[in-house]
Amino acid sequence: MGKFQDSLVTQYKKNQEIKSKQSDLKKKYNIPDENVVVVEKNNMIKFIIRTAGIIIRTAATICLLILAAAGLLTILYPEIRTPFLGVINTLTEQFFSFFP
């Protein structure tokens, strides 16, 4: 008898969870009709764009932190200022030689 009661309880809990999700979705999308079942689907393009945005934002933050650290080091230690500027000049010359 306990086996049947357990399955009834789990089924009841699942139904309650579905009803609560439906009520949340109806509130989210402002749907007053109770006879409508709202199905929310994931959009793959949105997912890809959001993921790409997060990756680009993270890469930009890392680059910004690296450049800030390099700038801070060149301000704090004057003896590395001249070699650092030489490296930067060489890098810019090589970059522009690839893209005429």
Side-chain angles (χ1 to χ4, degrees):
M1 195 67 158
K3 182 178 184 181
F4 294 114
Q5 288 177 351
D6 289 341
S7 65
L8 289 175
V9 170
T10 56
Q11 186 178 11
Y12 177 75
K13 287 181 181 179
K14 285 181 185 178
N15 286 339
Q16 289 299 319
E17 185 178 328
I18 290 171
K19 286 182 182 179
S20 68
K21 284 183 182 179
Q22 283 297 311
S23 66
D24 291 341
L25 287 172
K26 287 177 184 178
K27 286 179 187 175
K28 181 179 179 182
Y29 295 111
N30 296 326
I31 300 173
D33 191 9
E34 293 295 324
N35 295 328
V36 176
V37 176
V38 180
V39 178
E40 189 175 41
K41 294 184 179 180
N42 291 333
N43 192 351
M44 187 59 111
I45 294 173
K46 279 184 180 178
F47 174 74
I48 291 172
I49 290 173
R50 285 183 185 153
T51 305
I54 290 170
I55 290 171
I56 290 170
R57 193 175 310 131
T58 305
T61 303
I62 291 170
C63 288
L64 186 65
L65 289 174
I66 290 171
L67 288 173
L72 186 63
L73 286 175
T74 56
I75 289 173
L76 293 177
Y77 300 108
E79 61 270 3
I80 64 169
R81 222 176 271 161
T82 307
F84 184 74
L85 289 175
V87 169
I88 295 295
N89 287 335
T90 306
L91 286 175
T92 55
E93 288 173 4
Q94 288 180 358
F95 178 76
F96 288 120
S97 69
F98 286 129
F99 302 108

